[in-house]
Amino acid sequence: MTHVVSQNIDENLSYLNEALGVEKSFDVIRLDVVYANRKMALYLIDGFAKDDILHYLMTVLLQLTEEDLQPDPLEKLVKTYIPYVEVSTTDNLEELVNSVLAGPTALVVDGLSKAILIDARTYPVRGPQEPDMERVVRGARDGYVETIVFNTALTRRRVRDRTLRMEYMSIGRRSKTDVVVCYIEDIADGRFVDDVKYALSSIDTDGLPMAEKTIDEYLTGHFWNPYPIMRYTERPDTAAAHLYDGHVIVFVDGSPSALITPSTFWHHLQHAEEYRNKPLVGAYMRIVRFLAVWGSIFLLPLWYFFAENPNYLPGNMSYIGADDLGNIPLIFQFMIIEVGLDMLRMAAIHTPSSLGTALGLVAALMIGGVAVEVGLFSNEVVLYLSIAAIGTFATPSYELSLANRLMRIFLLLATAAFGLSGFIIGSTLHLLFLVKMRSLGVPYMWPFIPFQYRAFRDVIIRSPIPLKNRRPSILHPKDPDR
């Protein structure tokens, strides 16, 4: 049942008091006032309203007389006597309640069949600092924050295209979370845009407690797939670059991360630092990063196989095997260190930064060194697992690094169980798993599979920007030329 605004202010106040819990929540404020001999009431959330703006509005309203509001009081108030940019009206009390809880101030006036919404809100917010996960040596230092309006403004600052669209949606029956779908209308494929908006509108839940991560799980549907289907970014320049390619960006209020759709495996291996250097330097950095990432997956299983089967090694490479295997089997050494690294990572997250150095010393000297000396681990196991860990930390995408770690453990177990056949079959299954994945219909391994030479060349080697005069064809951009 839809509750409409009544001309009798007492009926409106009775409904709003109950719906907003005025006397139950200390931060829900109802202010009864009389202006121009009319009973009025202001509803607002303490901490969301700009006090100086509301004080100025009340000063203006205080000077009104009955004649000032004639002949149409609503039109006079909205168009003449409420000097603010974002002013709207509504005749739906349910919409009014949702708006007040989102931050705007509601003005209910006796004798009017519509209420006035004044969007003079502000949110507690931190400054747009450089994201910890996507730092660069040179380049912009601003990053997204937890307030969606700030994030859309940071994006529009870099994309001043007249067809840049920011479409608003509200998701969550109870949370009413603000979500914005951002794209360049003259570039982005309409099918991608429609797919994203349809998927968002189909979300049926009471709230989005984890913000963009909850959206991700609803959009992708790959619940048990460890690999990220969407790319996260906290950098406005990175989001702008993807908008120019034809991607669709999703912002969720309360999160400093934007979702980039669709995305491929290779998008998660790109970093802004590559484009902040000369093309040759950037290409070198990208190749090193690729080697580190692939090494973090395949190096340990391959070394384990040679360590257990030294007869497969040529004579001049016999040093690869372990001289001292330790007191426990190699596979258990690997599993213990893998779990230990995750424990250390979780401990570092929960440790104050002032104690981080002490935690590192404990892990490196007291645990690692002593474990090798007593024979729990062999030196080679520590060496190769350290190399794999460096490759994991060199992965730009945190989500991809965690997925690759799980795949490394899978390959280790397969190699331990079935030897060379296990390594080959496990690697093949891993590749087939990635090839089968899709992101909004886009093959996850494109342009490697299906192969496209020019696009794959740009993936492997950081091409000079003047030579990148075509947008990715897999996105079906309306304007393919840059």
Side-chain angles (χ1 to χ4, degrees):
M1 178 180 178
T2 301
H3 297 274
V4 297
V5 176
S6 171
Q7 291 187 356
N8 185 342
I9 191 173
D10 293 328
E11 296 181 8
N12 298 328
L13 299 185
S14 176
Y15 177 86
L16 293 173
N17 289 344
E18 178 66 24
L20 290 170
V22 172
E23 297 181 356
K24 299 178 181 178
S25 299
F26 80 94
D27 60 338
V28 180
I29 298 175
R30 167 189 163 183
L31 183 61
D32 295 313
V33 293
V34 177
Y35 298 127
N37 291 329
R38 284 179 180 266
K39 291 176 60 177
M40 303 183 187
L42 286 163
Y43 285 89
L44 60 136
I45 303 297
D46 190 16
F48 283 175
K50 296 179 182 177
D51 295 342
D52 52 347
I53 297 297
L54 291 182
H55 182 265
Y56 177 67
L57 292 176
M58 294 170 69
T59 302
V60 174
L61 294 175
L62 183 63
Q63 302 173 2
L64 296 181
T65 63
E66 292 185 57
E67 292 75 16
D68 292 333
L69 299 183
Q70 299 302 325
D72 188 341
L74 181 63
E75 184 176 2
K76 286 286 187 178
L77 284 171
V78 173
K79 297 185 178 180
T80 305
Y81 296 117
I82 297 182
Y84 198 69
V85 177
E86 297 180 69
V87 180
S88 60
T89 61
T90 180
D91 60 357
N92 189 326
L93 285 174
E94 296 176 4
E95 179 183 340
L96 189 69
V97 170
N98 292 334
S99 297
V100 170
L101 293 175
T105 300
L107 176 62
V108 184
V109 183
D110 189 26
L112 300 185
S113 58
K114 288 188 176 182
I116 301 172
L117 287 170
I118 306 167
D119 196 355
R121 59 178 157 176
T122 184
Y123 292 126
V125 63
R126 62 183 175 89
Q129 303 167 351
E130 183 178 14
D132 289 334
M133 296 292 293
E134 301 176 90
R135 291 184 177 274
V136 294
V137 176
R138 293 189 182 277
R141 293 288 187 264
D142 56 345
Y144 289 137
V145 294
E146 288 75 15
T147 305
I148 195 170
V149 176
F150 282 34
N151 295 342
T152 55
L154 286 170
T155 305
R156 192 172 286 276
R157 179 185 178 188
R158 288 170 168 81
V159 185
R160 300 182 181 181
D161 192 295
R162 64 182 65 188
T163 65
L164 177 65
R165 301 292 177 248
M166 301 276 189
E167 298 192 16
Y168 169 83
M169 304 179 71
S170 179
I171 298 178
R173 295 188 302 272
R174 294 183 180 275
S175 68
K176 307 295 182 183
T177 305
D178 297 331
V179 176
V180 168
V181 179
C182 175
Y183 60 97
I184 299 179
E185 192 173 26
D186 283 354
I187 297 177
D189 182 12
R191 181 178 65 84
F192 286 143
V193 177
D194 292 340
D195 287 347
V196 171
K197 291 194 293 186
Y198 176 77
L200 290 173
S201 63
S202 301
I203 295 176
D204 183 19
T205 183
D206 58 353
L208 304 178
M210 294 294 107
E212 86 292 346
K213 190 64 185 74
T214 307
I215 291 286
D216 183 354
E217 294 188 8
Y218 272 101
L219 289 184
T220 59
H222 298 272
F223 305 128
W224 305 111
N225 183 354
Y227 278 91
I229 305 297
M230 297 185 181
R231 181 183 178 184
Y232 296 82
T233 185
E234 296 183 36
R235 296 189 61 90
D237 51 359
T238 299
H242 283 79
L243 285 172
Y244 286 125
D245 280 343
H247 292 266
V248 181
I249 311 292
V250 179
F251 297 102
V252 184
D253 191 37
S255 170
S257 298
L259 290 174
I260 301 175
T261 64
S263 64
T264 67
F265 177 84
W266 311 102
H267 282 114
H268 299 280
L269 295 179
Q270 296 177 356
H271 193 274
E273 181 70 14
E274 298 163 2
Y275 293 94
R276 294 292 182 178
N277 288 279
K278 298 289 287 183
L280 186 60
V281 177
Y284 167 75
M285 293 172 60
R286 179 173 293 185
I287 293 173
V288 170
R289 179 176 290 113
F290 283 179
L291 292 175
V293 171
W294 292 117
S296 70
I297 301 175
F298 298 106
L299 181 63
L300 283 185
L302 197 58
W303 180 85
Y304 172 79
F305 170 75
F306 286 131
E308 292 287 351
N309 302 274
N311 54 302
Y312 281 87
L313 286 170
N316 58 351
M317 298 183 66
S318 58
Y319 61 89
I320 290 180
D323 295 332
D324 183 7
L325 296 180
N327 297 326
I328 60 175
L330 282 178
I331 187 62
F332 290 110
Q333 294 186 40
F334 281 125
M335 292 299 105
I336 292 173
I337 298 182
E338 287 280 10
V339 175
L341 282 175
D342 285 328
M343 293 172 61
L344 178 62
R345 177 179 58 84
M346 289 186 283
I349 294 175
H350 303 305
T351 302
S353 57
S354 57
L355 301 177
T357 302
L359 176 65
L361 290 174
V362 169
L365 300 179
M366 298 181 64
I367 298 178
V370 173
V372 172
E373 289 183 9
V374 300
L376 183 62
F377 303 137
S378 70
N379 290 310
E380 289 85 353
V381 168
V382 175
L383 170 64
Y384 286 99
L385 237 164
S386 300
I387 295 174
I390 292 174
T392 299
F393 296 139
T395 308
S397 170
Y398 178 69
E399 295 75 21
L400 181 64
S401 68
L402 295 179
N404 286 340
R405 182 176 299 174
L406 291 179
M407 286 300 144
R408 179 172 71 223
I409 294 175
F410 165 73
L411 289 178
L412 270 172
L413 295 176
T415 305
F418 304 105
L420 182 59
S421 299
F423 177 78
I424 295 175
I425 294 175
S427 301
T428 304
L429 290 176
H430 177 216
L431 180 60
L432 292 177
F433 177 70
L434 294 177
V435 170
K436 188 179 178 181
M437 289 172 53
R438 288 180 172 269
S439 175
L440 289 181
V442 174
Y444 196 60
M445 291 300 290
W446 182 90
F448 178 56
I449 299 175
F451 186 76
Q452 186 175 356
Y453 168 73
R454 180 168 179 172
F456 189 64
R457 180 198 62 191
D458 291 340
V459 163
I460 299 300
I461 301 176
R462 189 286 217 199
S463 302
I465 296 299
L467 300 182
K468 296 184 66 173
N469 54 9
R470 302 280 295 179
R471 308 186 203 278
S473 60
I474 197 67
L475 298 177
H476 308 294
K478 295 178 182 177
D479 179 13
D481 298 321
R482 292 184 179 275

